[in-house]
Amino acid sequence: MATQRIIAIVISGGLLLLILELVRRKRLMERYALLWLFSTLLLLVLSLWSGLLNSLASALGVSYPPSALFAVAFGVVLVLLVHFSLAVSHLSDQNKVLAQRLGILQRQVQEQNENLAKLGHQVETQAEDSGADGRARDREQLTPTS
Amino acid sequence: MNRYLAIVPAHNEADAISATVDEIHRFAPSFDVLVVDDGSTDDTTPRAESAGATVVRLPFNLGIGGAVQTGYLYAQEHDYEVAVQIDGDGQHDPRYIHDLLHRLQADSDLNMVTGSRFLEPDGEGHRSSAPRRMGIRIFAGLVSLITGRRVTDPTSGLRMTSRIGIELFARDYPHDYPEVEAILMMHAHRLNSCEIPVVMRPRTSGVSAISSTQPVYYMVKVLLAVFIGLFRANPVVEQGDAPINAEHAI
């Protein structure tokens, strides 16, 4: 067995196990794991089944089969990168919407707090006014009129 | 305020939402109604509000898992004892809320009751298309095997949970197509669930969350989640535990 093949098997097998473990720990969502699983399975099959790799290499016109494996791996990496660019764009868009909503909400909460404070102040001064009037009236009643 | 909450996830269900809210008010007056508007672009929110529901409007579409978990978070924060999920599209008949509640309260060991379309072999009503029934049967077999209990309708979204289920789902809930995994989560936390027979109606508006291109993704994703779930440890939720993981909101 050629050294490259062993390395290819170990790397793709290890990657497969790593992806499964990350999903198990809930660090990686199934949604994003599926493409990885598909890719690593493809690479694992190609590195285990040299006949398939050889016929793929001859179909692609590549004289050295391990190069065909690298070509496939490169293709897989390209697809994954596009997938992640899409995911990142989606996330930035959602992030923008969240920030906008949060900003507007903060403003609304602040306005409502100010309104509440104003209202509270009005109520207080009204209470004080009536309290002062009451005391003034009491004093008038207490002081004997001459 | 009532002690029971009806969680109604709705995405562009303007045509059906007010009828759904009205029916819940009529047939289950002891339930408060919370509509989670999952980023609708139509009149779902104003119509739900004018029908008398409390509405939480999500700024963008989170998918059914995120929308329903919003409802469980609300239920947890407002100390509801029981929460029931009712789809906003009119498929779920709110008349069954009473039966679900009755079943849940009849057995104090029970934490979740699901309405199943397939519990009675010759049941009537809307039972989904043939290929979907096939998929449902596969999941039903798998879930029954794992839980050691007969489950006939693991994809049914008509389900009621007690307080401990609310706390569990508020902490951790699957993202896409959550129904099957939620049953297994209950099982993993050693909480009991059961089914009662229901008849569902064809949807009156909107489109299914599972469009024509997605069944393959649905099957693969849920099968992967079920398979991986077998290798997870079985944590038991206790009140006051830290969240199962911080990443659950990714």
Side-chain angles (χ1 to χ4, degrees):
Chain A
M1 204 188 270
T3 323
Q4 310 100 316
R5 229 183 114 196
I6 298 171
I7 293 173
I9 292 170
V10 168
I11 289 178
S12 41
L15 199 55
L16 183 66
L17 289 180
L18 176 71
I19 299 295
L20 288 175
E21 176 61 14
L22 286 174
V23 175
R24 193 184 72 85
R25 290 192 189 171
K26 299 194 177 182
R27 300 289 294 267
L28 181 59
M29 279 169 62
E30 287 91 352
R31 193 188 295 167
Y32 298 108
L34 285 177
L35 199 53
W36 273 113
L37 286 179
F38 177 74
S39 316
T40 47
L41 276 176
L42 180 72
L43 291 179
L44 191 62
V45 166
L46 282 179
S47 29
L48 282 174
W49 186 6
S50 53
L52 186 69
L53 186 63
N54 288 337
S55 48
L56 184 80
S58 61
L60 289 173
V62 180
S63 53
Y64 182 55
S67 295
L69 188 63
F70 287 124
V72 172
F74 181 69
V76 161
V77 167
L78 270 186
V79 172
L80 280 169
L81 280 179
V82 172
H83 178 70
F84 291 133
S85 301
L86 284 175
V88 168
S89 307
H90 187 62
L91 284 177
S92 351
D93 197 39
Q94 290 189 332
N95 201 25
K96 182 199 76 177
V97 173
L98 273 184
Q100 290 168 335
R101 285 288 160 95
L102 181 67
I104 291 170
L105 264 179
Q106 252 177 347
R107 181 69 226 150
Q108 277 176 351
V109 168
Q110 202 181 330
E111 272 168 20
Q112 285 185 353
N113 279 345
E114 280 164 9
N115 284 345
L116 266 178
K118 251 184 245 164
L119 218 73
H121 186 68
Q122 276 175 9
V123 170
E124 240 169 56
T125 44
Q126 271 172 7
E128 266 172 27
D129 284 354
S130 61
D133 287 354
R135 279 195 297 278
R137 242 179 283 122
D138 288 347
R139 266 200 305 280
E140 272 167 28
Q141 279 169 358
L142 281 174
T143 42
T145 43
S146 53
Chain B
M1 200 177 84
N2 291 310
R3 297 176 303 142
Y4 309 140
L5 180 70
I7 300 167
V8 185
H11 177 234
N12 288 340
E13 305 285 4
D15 294 334
I17 194 69
S18 47
T20 306
V21 174
D22 283 344
E23 279 188 325
I24 298 173
H25 280 144
R26 182 152 21 115
F27 296 114
S30 56
F31 280 73
D32 289 343
V33 183
L34 175 77
V35 171
V36 182
D37 181 348
D38 191 11
S40 295
T41 49
D42 63 2
D43 288 342
T44 300
T45 291
R47 289 198 193 181
E49 274 170 350
S50 61
T54 308
V55 180
V56 169
R57 190 173 195 177
L58 301 178
F60 41 77
N61 187 267
L62 285 184
I64 184 77
V68 167
Q69 195 184 24
T70 308
Y72 283 116
L73 280 168
Y74 182 91
Q76 188 195 28
E77 297 224 325
H78 291 78
D79 296 324
Y80 283 100
E81 282 173 19
V82 168
V84 63
Q85 281 171 241
I86 299 267
D87 279 2
D89 59 14
Q91 274 190 296
H92 297 159
D93 192 335
R95 285 176 188 86
Y96 290 112
I97 293 176
H98 185 75
D99 299 345
L100 290 168
L101 187 64
H102 193 258
R103 183 73 189 83
L104 188 70
Q105 291 182 333
D107 185 350
S108 58
D109 289 336
L110 210 53
N111 300 105
M112 182 164 80
V113 184
T114 306
S116 166
R117 288 161 285 183
F118 307 107
L119 206 53
E120 276 159 12
D122 299 313
E124 310 147 28
H126 183 65
R127 297 163 65 118
S128 206
S129 59
R132 277 189 198 176
R133 272 214 302 279
M134 187 71 182
I136 292 171
R137 196 166 295 165
I138 293 171
F139 288 132
L142 253 175
V143 172
S144 303
L145 197 71
I146 293 169
T147 59
R149 176 178 67 79
R150 185 163 167 254
V151 176
T152 57
D153 198 355
T155 60
S156 165
L158 177 61
R159 48 183 60 177
M160 183 179 281
T161 50
S162 62
R163 179 70 198 173
I164 191 158
I166 292 173
E167 282 167 8
L168 174 63
F169 290 153
R171 243 171 249 166
D172 191 17
Y173 200 68
H175 300 265
D176 317 305
Y177 316 125
E179 290 85 7
V180 177
E181 287 171 66
I183 297 179
L184 295 176
M185 272 178 64
M186 296 292 284
H187 176 70
H189 287 83
R190 300 187 192 92
L191 302 174
N192 297 314
S193 51
C194 78
E195 291 181 333
I196 63 164
V198 299
V199 175
M200 286 193 194
R201 307 178 284 204
R203 58 171 52 248
T204 52
S205 80
V207 283
S208 169
I210 308 153
S211 71
S212 55
T213 53
Q214 287 178 321
V216 177
Y217 172 61
Y218 185 117
M219 288 294 292
V220 174
K221 188 263 166 182
V222 177
L223 283 177
L224 174 69
V226 168
F227 175 72
I228 300 261
L230 291 176
F231 295 96
R232 286 199 180 117
N234 296 349
V236 180
V237 258
E238 304 284 353
Q239 202 137 18
D241 268 1
I244 287 168
N245 60 56
E247 284 83 6
H248 83 286
I250 292 176

